[in-house]
Amino acid sequence: MKNKLIVTLTTVRGSRQYSLGQVARYLVIFFIALSAVSFFISNWLLVKTSDDLADLVEDHEQLNDQYEMMLGTQNLYKNELDQLSVSLSRVASQRDKLKAENIRMGDELYEGNNRIGELSATLGTSLNGLETLLNVEPTGDLSTERLESLTMMANQRLFMLNSIPNGVPIQAIRISDSFGMRMHPTKHKRILHSGIDYKADVGTPVYSTADGVVESAGNQHDGYGKQVVILHDFGFKTTYSHLNDIDVNSGEFIHKGQKIGESGNTGRTTGPHLHYEVRHLYSAINPAPFVAWNIANFDSIFTKVKSVKWASLKNLYPLNQIAQP
């Protein structure tokens, strides 16, 4: 019995014994050990996958926030600012009119002063909200001139945000590759990755990040597959590559947030994604500061992107109405 392994199986019909040789015994021990190792590896992979999934969910939520900023916020800001401008002008006009009137009767004078106080409070709250939206230092100034100045500043910022690329072009799963030097996945050599790669399922809508005109729309022969190139104001250009479908034509005028196609896997890729680039005078720029740019952090772009000569913008109309960076 030295080299034998006795296995006893018990059923409702009784017990039965089986004798296995030494080789079979080693196989059984190996199988048990392998099962134990597989159990621990599976649990480790499960924990790691859960952590990776949590990171992906966080990335997706951040991209959704940026996506909402790009698609909806600018229009929302514009509508709110238009309504606010009308409302503030009306309140300021009523207040100034009441101040100008010569109310001499006691009760009427008391009521008129109360009404002036109410209108001033409303105007102050609204102006403070506008200052907060624009992220400018509150002054406490409730004059019509301050209202006009803030309204002009808001409109100028919206003009810039519609003219220069900002926000994300797609509601993606995550960013799979950023701007910078990298080992190319198909060319197998270290070269500049001149944009941001957004991992997305085939057929995910792609949107223009600023107003402009389509320079080209079609299949490229340099590995980018189906691609749309849009020219914007002030020398900027954006490209959208590896598309599955294109919805615009060359020469067509495009507005910010307009759908221009759908993401895909065309050209030289290792998986479905959108390759997005921002260029200025043919030079590739890191899109990240433009993706994060919005009306509240408006001044950030002028310090983060140093390759553009922003200072000369202040000489352009209508930007020269209020000094720009």
Side-chain angles (χ1 to χ4, degrees):
M1 301 294 290
K2 183 178 179 181
N3 295 327
K4 298 289 185 180
L5 177 66
I6 307 300
V7 178
T8 301
L9 296 179
T10 303
T11 66
V12 293
R13 297 180 180 179
S15 298
R16 236 179 230 192
Q17 291 185 334
Y18 299 90
S19 178
L20 301 177
Q22 189 176 26
V23 174
R25 181 176 61 179
Y26 288 151
L27 289 175
V28 171
I29 294 173
F30 175 76
F31 176 76
I32 294 173
L34 183 62
S35 298
V37 171
S38 299
F39 173 78
F40 287 110
I41 291 177
S42 298
N43 276 275
W44 178 80
L45 289 175
L46 180 61
V47 172
K48 187 176 185 305
T49 302
S50 298
D51 292 340
D52 290 343
L53 181 60
D55 292 340
L56 287 176
V57 169
E58 183 178 355
D59 290 344
H60 185 55
E61 289 176 350
Q62 291 177 353
L63 286 171
N64 279 346
D65 292 342
Q66 294 173 345
Y67 169 82
E68 294 297 335
M69 176 66 74
M70 195 281 290
L71 285 183
T73 306
Q74 307 306 336
N75 289 332
L76 178 62
Y77 283 156
K78 188 176 189 312
N79 292 335
E80 286 184 348
L81 288 170
D82 288 343
Q83 295 175 6
L84 183 60
S85 178
V86 173
S87 176
L88 291 180
S89 297
R90 185 183 302 114
V91 171
S93 176
Q94 291 177 358
R95 185 196 62 178
D96 294 342
K97 182 178 179 181
L98 281 173
K99 283 184 175 180
E101 289 178 351
N102 187 13
I103 305 176
R104 298 186 179 278
M105 299 298 293
D107 291 340
E108 292 180 0
L109 180 60
Y110 178 76
E111 292 175 1
N113 286 335
N114 280 346
R115 180 57 177 161
I116 291 174
E118 292 173 1
L119 291 173
S120 294
T122 300
L123 184 62
T125 301
S126 299
L127 282 176
N128 287 338
L130 184 55
E131 289 170 335
T132 300
L133 176 65
L134 297 174
N135 196 24
V136 298
E137 191 70 25
T139 63
D141 184 0
L142 303 183
S143 66
T144 302
E145 290 75 15
R146 179 61 174 169
L147 166 62
E148 292 175 350
S149 175
L150 289 174
T151 302
M152 183 178 294
M153 180 185 296
N155 287 329
Q156 288 175 345
R157 289 189 178 188
L158 288 174
F159 168 71
M160 293 283 286
L161 288 167
N162 278 282
S163 301
I164 298 175
N166 62 93
V168 294
I170 188 172
Q171 191 170 15
I173 299 172
R174 62 185 174 88
I175 293 176
S176 55
D177 211 345
S178 300
F179 180 91
M181 297 299 295
R182 66 162 186 179
M183 183 63 69
H184 196 280
T186 59
K187 294 181 179 179
H188 305 294
K189 61 181 181 179
R190 189 171 176 79
I191 60 175
L192 174 68
H193 184 239
S194 54
I196 291 179
D197 287 347
Y198 291 97
K199 180 177 176 59
D201 294 331
V202 173
T204 304
V206 176
Y207 303 90
S208 174
T209 53
D211 297 344
V213 59
V214 179
E215 180 185 69
S216 62
N219 196 41
Q220 302 297 315
H221 302 290
D222 52 4
Y224 286 114
K226 292 183 179 179
Q227 182 189 67
V228 172
V229 179
I230 301 178
L231 295 175
H232 307 286
D233 288 341
F234 308 113
F236 287 92
K237 177 189 295 188
T238 53
T239 68
Y240 312 77
S241 305
H242 306 306
L243 301 177
N244 184 63
D245 189 37
I246 295 176
D247 295 344
V248 294
N249 299 306
S250 178
E252 184 176 346
F253 289 101
I254 301 297
H255 62 79
K256 179 178 174 62
Q258 179 177 338
K259 181 186 173 187
I260 59 174
E262 296 177 354
S263 65
N265 195 27
T266 59
R268 190 165 51 242
T269 70
T270 57
H273 70 280
L274 171 72
H275 176 77
Y276 172 67
E277 293 186 16
V278 174
R279 294 180 172 269
H280 186 255
L281 299 179
Y282 305 104
S283 298
I285 303 177
N286 186 357
F290 294 90
V291 169
W293 189 33
N294 59 62
I295 197 169
N297 64 6
F298 185 78
D299 292 337
S300 65
I301 199 74
F302 306 116
T303 55
K304 290 183 178 180
V305 181
K306 300 183 182 300
S307 59
V308 179
K309 301 184 187 309
W310 300 108
S312 54
L313 277 175
K314 65 183 180 182
N315 299 319
L316 301 182
Y317 182 86
L319 303 180
N320 59 11
Q321 301 303 297
I322 291 182
Q324 295 292 310

